[in-house]
Structures are given as structure tokens and as C-alpha cells.
Amino acid sequence: MIRVLIADDQRVVREGLTMVLALMKGFEVVGTAADGDEAVTLAEALRPDVVLMDLRMPRCDGIEATRRLRSEVPETKVVVLTTYSDDRSVLDAFRAGARGYLTKDASGAQISEALRQVLDNHAVVDPAVQRHLIDAIATEPTPRSRFPDGLTPREAEVLSLMAGGLSNAEIASHLVVSEGTVKSHINHLFAKIGARDRAQAVTYAFRQGLTEP
Amino acid sequence: MIRVLIADDQRVVREGLTMVLALMKGFEVVGTAADGDEAVTLAEALRPDVVLMDLRMPRCDGIEATRRLRSEVPETKVVVLTTYSDDRSVLDAFRAGARGYLTKDASGAQISEALRQVLDNHAVVDPAVQRHLIDAIATEPTPRSRFPDGLTPREAEVLSLMAGGLSNAEIASHLVVSEGTVKSHINHLFAKIGARDRAQAVTYAFRQGLTEP
DNA sequence: ACGCGTCTCCACCCTCGGGTGGAGACGGGA
DNA sequence: TCCCGTCTCCACCCGAGGGTGGAGACGCGT
């Protein structure tokens, strides 16, 4: 028996889904929530196998609720079931920890099949949103590589410390060299990367992926 | 007639795929390539509708080839067909611009169906790799949201210009206010975000996602 | 042996950035 | 009505940061 929690702000949807799942063998709707907060609270109490989560909800949206569920009730899986399927939503949902993404065009059979798949540790993406997902991935910035331009390892090191918010004096003591040396490295690397001051250098460091957010 | 280019370093795979597609109605294999370089060169000459791309190839791997195809021959779509389905490969492939990802367990029917789907502007993900894709998305760092702490819109604006590498004077003229005002905003926002100097502030801006890499 | 690049250090200069402590104007909420 | 937050501006101070022009030591490749 698969224990399901339904989170959706519209009553008709909650009741409709409850009906649909009642018809399917092997499902039990253990609770319904009308907003994200309630979804999290109920999930903590009821420990369902899976939460069918709408995205657009008052108080705390589905993305946020999913994120919180990930940390509060990690055993419970989340399947998003929503009307919207724009690029951002899809990506955000999976980033937040959802394991499935369905639209409200899905049939009862598709939903129940998706739930089974997810509990079987698969991921489920509605074919209709597949494309959005791939688009979103393709257009997102690719994390950068190695260290670029003519930067020497030492200079890159100084740069990354600088991006960490250290002053010249702090960098110096961190590297156990004089502050003069640090300034020297800094002037060299400024020239190489075309920076005028540390702010620009830090920006460069992030864009090049030398520093992890 | 769908015109296909096959890129794989193993001869048996190239010939096997050619056979399989020959059996399917509506496909024509217009060429085969044994490495990424050749794939790009042939695609430029033959302008196929789609490239079936292996990932592991000598000289220039499938990811790199896909990336180059995106910019050189944008009309040609890329479908990855490979043995490996680890998290990174999948994500990298889509980032590079692939529209489909199949494993070599796929049947001829599945492959041909996938090609049709992709040419119909859908994205195709082999169910077996679906999970890797979602995992990879979930474990990647999430770009941050709105603007946080007690930052006023104006302060956030100043911060983001600062992160863009502008000096106080430049920020001032950009916002059409005096430099003193900019300093004032800056001092306020430093206090709010706990920064000591602009380097730390820029770092903060990136980590909070106020500035796009 | 020689040259090259990197890392280290020094001294000097001066600007820009950061800190302090104000103050006036506007708008919205209590 | 008054208060509070935001945005604007000012004056003054000072030190860290950025720019210049060196120089010596080490390691590496030719």
C-alpha cells in the first residue's frame, strides 16, 4: 500500500486526486494539505511514501516545501503535479529534490504509474515537460574549467584568496610571505586578467569558476 | 526521409546502426564518422537532420563535437547514443546542446522513434538515464533567488553594479547621483551583509546570485 | 652556460575607498 | 498627525590598496 500525501491549494484538485487514487489499487491517500507549510507539517507527522505537490500554493510554494521536505523528511519522495511547465519551474523543482514532474493533463493511470516508478527509485518526467527540462539545462551556464589566461598557480591562489574576501595583509600571512609580495602578485594578475581593482578581479574569479559559490 | 549521420569509433557499431536504420522506413544514413573531428567536418558538408553521437571517441569526444556542432551547424540535431550513463555525461551532453540521450541497450525501434521525436522538436531521455539526469540536477548548486537580507532595492542595485567592477564614481554617474550618495549606500549595505570591503561584497553578490556569471 | 619565468622582497607615491556623523526630502503606515 | 524607512547629499579623515621600478634567488629547458 503506497501512502500518499496530496498538497494543492484547490479543493477540487485535492478531492479529485483522492478519488482517482482511490480507484487505483495499492494507493492510500493519508492526508491532504492546502499550502506548502501544511504539506511539510503533515509530512513530518504522517511520513507518507510520497507527496504529490502542486507548485503554486499560498504561504510557501511547492519548490520551497519540497526543499524543506528534503531536509526534514528525506524518506518521503516528492512528485510535482502542476499546471505550469515553464523551464524554470521544472529545473527548480528537481534542484529542490523532486523525483518526478507531471502536468495536470496526466491521466490517473499515468499518475499512479509515475508514483510507482518514483518509489522504485526512478525519476519521472512528463513527456510534455521533457523538452523544457532539456532546454533549461542547455541554456544554463556551464560550470567553468581549470585556471585560464597566463595566471601562474601562485597568482591564481592569491586571486582565489582575494575572492574569499581577504585583505592583502591576511593573504600575506596566509601564504607566509610579505605583504609586498602579495601586492606584487596582485599587480601582475591584474594586468593579466585586465582588472583595475580587486572588485573586478573577484568578479573575474567567479565568472571563471576559480571560486565556488 | 530523415538524413542521419553516425559518429562512433567502433566499426561494428557504425555498421550495425546503419543496418538497423536501413530496416526502418524513412531513414537514410548519409555518412559515418569515427571520431568527433570527422563528425563535425562531415556534418558541415552533409548537413544531416540528426547526428547519432557516441561520447567516447578519439581526437575529440562526443561532448566537444556536440558543442561545436551547435555553433557550426545549428540546424542539425544531436542525439547521444552511448554505453555510459553516469551523471556527468548526461548533464554535459545536454549542456553541450544534445536533444536526446540513448543507451546502447536501446532497440532499433526505440532509436528510430527517438530520432523522430527529436526532429519533431521534442527531447528524448532514455528511461534508464532519466534518473542520472535528475540526480545530477539535484546535486548541482542551486542558483540563488531574489534579494536577501535587509537590502533595499537601491542598495542591491549599487551592489550589483559594484560586482560589475564599477568604481564609486562610475556607479554614481550610472545612477545619476553624487559619489557621496553611492558611498552612503555602500556603507549601509556593507553593514547589512557584513562585508568589510568591496571584494567581500562582490563575493557576497555572487554567492547570493545577485550577479550572473 | 645562458636565458627565461616564477616567486620573493623593497621603497616610494598618491588615489580611491571606507568610516563617521551628520542633514534634508519624500512617502507610507500607525 | 507624527514617525520611520529610504534616498539623497555633504565634509572630513586616514589608511589600505593600487602603480612604478626595481632586484635577487631558484629551477628548468636548451
Side-chain angles (χ1 to χ4, degrees), chain B residues 149-164:
Chain B
D149 281 288
L151 289 190
T152 70
R154 198 56 155 181
E155 285 160 357
E157 196 177 4
V158 170
L159 176 52
S160 113
L161 290 172
M162 195 166 22

Side-chain angles (χ1 to χ4, degrees), chain A residues 167-168 183 187 190 196-198:
Chain A
S167 68
N168 289 346
K183 286 178 148 199
N187 272 313
F190 277 5
R196 182 175 54 186
D197 51 42
R198 38 184 64 213

Side-chain angles (χ1 to χ4, degrees), chain B residues 60-120:
Chain B
C60 158
D61 71 22
I63 302 286
E64 180 55 27
T66 302
R67 212 183 326 267
R68 282 167 54 196
L69 278 177
R70 269 308 86 201
S71 55
E72 312 282 331
V73 198
E75 328 83 76
T76 296
K77 308 215 184 289
V78 175
V79 171
V80 169
L81 176 65
T82 187
T83 313
Y84 310 94
S85 64
D86 58 289
D87 299 8
R88 276 244 61 80
S89 304
V90 180
L91 206 54
D92 284 346
F94 284 119
R95 267 202 234 283
R99 311 292 311 181
Y101 196 110
L102 304 171
T103 66
K104 288 184 179 169
D105 294 330
S107 67
Q110 286 174 319
I111 293 175
S112 62
E113 175 56 22
L115 294 184
R116 280 189 227 277
Q117 290 282 318
V118 164
L119 287 181
D120 210 20

Side-chain angles (χ1 to χ4, degrees), chain A residues 27 44-45 64 67 92 100 102-103 125 140 155 179 208 210:
Chain A
F27 290 93
E44 288 180 289
E64 181 56 28
R67 212 183 326 268
D92 284 346
L102 304 171
T103 67
V125 184
E140 280 231 338
E155 285 159 356
E179 197 178 333
Q208 293 300 318
L210 291 175

Side-chain angles (χ1 to χ4, degrees), chain B:
Chain B
M1 211 57 157
I2 297 176
R3 305 176 66 249
V4 183
L5 175 65
I6 292 171
D8 196 300
D9 60 332
Q10 295 176 42
R11 164 170 240 151
V12 281
V13 176
R14 290 199 300 277
E15 298 189 347
L17 279 174
T18 307
M19 291 300 190
V20 166
L21 286 178
L23 289 178
M24 305 285 160
K25 296 251 182 261
F27 291 93
E28 181 189 3
V29 175
V30 294
T32 63
D35 62 62
D37 271 349
E38 199 183 349
V40 175
T41 314
L42 281 181
E44 288 180 290
L46 302 171
R47 308 267 151 180
D49 297 311
V50 59
V51 180
L52 261 181
M53 180 83 75
D54 189 24
L55 289 188
R56 267 239 262 195
M57 287 187 298
R59 296 181 56 78
C60 158
D61 71 22
I63 302 286
E64 180 55 27
T66 302
R67 212 183 326 267
R68 282 167 54 196
L69 278 177
R70 269 308 86 201
S71 55
E72 312 282 331
V73 198
E75 328 83 76
T76 296
K77 308 215 184 289
V78 175
V79 171
V80 169
L81 176 65
T82 187
T83 313
Y84 310 94
S85 64
D86 58 289
D87 299 8
R88 276 244 61 80
S89 304
V90 180
L91 206 54
D92 284 346
F94 284 119
R95 267 202 234 283
R99 311 292 311 181
Y101 196 110
L102 304 171
T103 66
K104 288 184 179 169
D105 294 330
S107 67
Q110 286 174 319
I111 293 175
S112 62
E113 175 56 22
L115 294 184
R116 280 189 227 277
Q117 290 282 318
V118 164
L119 287 181
D120 210 20
N121 220 9
H122 293 93
V124 176
V125 184
D126 188 304
V129 302
Q130 190 101 263
R131 188 142 176 278
H132 293 289
L133 177 60
I134 303 308
D135 277 343
I137 293 172
T139 54
E140 282 230 338
T142 307
R144 298 304 193 295
S145 49
R146 290 295 143 238
F147 41 75
D149 281 288
L151 289 190
T152 70
R154 198 56 155 181
E155 285 160 357
E157 196 177 4
V158 170
L159 176 52
S160 113
L161 290 172
M162 195 166 22
L166 304 202
S167 68
N168 289 346
E170 287 165 341
I171 295 174
S173 80
H174 192 278
L175 297 179
V176 205
V177 296
S178 82
E179 198 178 331
T181 303
V182 173
K183 286 178 147 197
S184 168
H185 287 313
I186 287 181
N187 272 311
H188 290 151
L189 74 89
F190 276 6
K192 289 182 184 173
I193 70 181
R196 183 174 55 187
D197 52 41
R198 38 186 64 215
Q200 291 187 347
V202 171
T203 300
Y204 173 92
F206 273 97
R207 295 213 215 271
Q208 293 300 321
L210 291 174
T211 305
E212 294 309 325

Side-chain angles (χ1 to χ4, degrees), chain A residues 5 7 39-40 43 48-55 62-71 73-81 93-94 96-102 114-115 118-119 122-124, chain B residues 134:
Chain A
L5 175 65
V40 175
D49 297 311
V50 59
V51 180
L52 260 181
M53 181 82 75
D54 190 23
L55 288 188
I63 301 286
E64 181 56 28
T66 302
R67 212 183 326 268
R68 282 166 54 196
L69 279 177
R70 270 306 86 202
S71 54
V73 198
E75 326 84 76
T76 295
K77 307 214 185 290
V78 175
V79 172
V80 170
L81 176 66
F94 284 118
R99 310 292 310 180
Y101 197 111
L102 304 171
L115 295 184
V118 165
L119 288 182
H122 292 94
V124 175
Chain B
I134 303 308

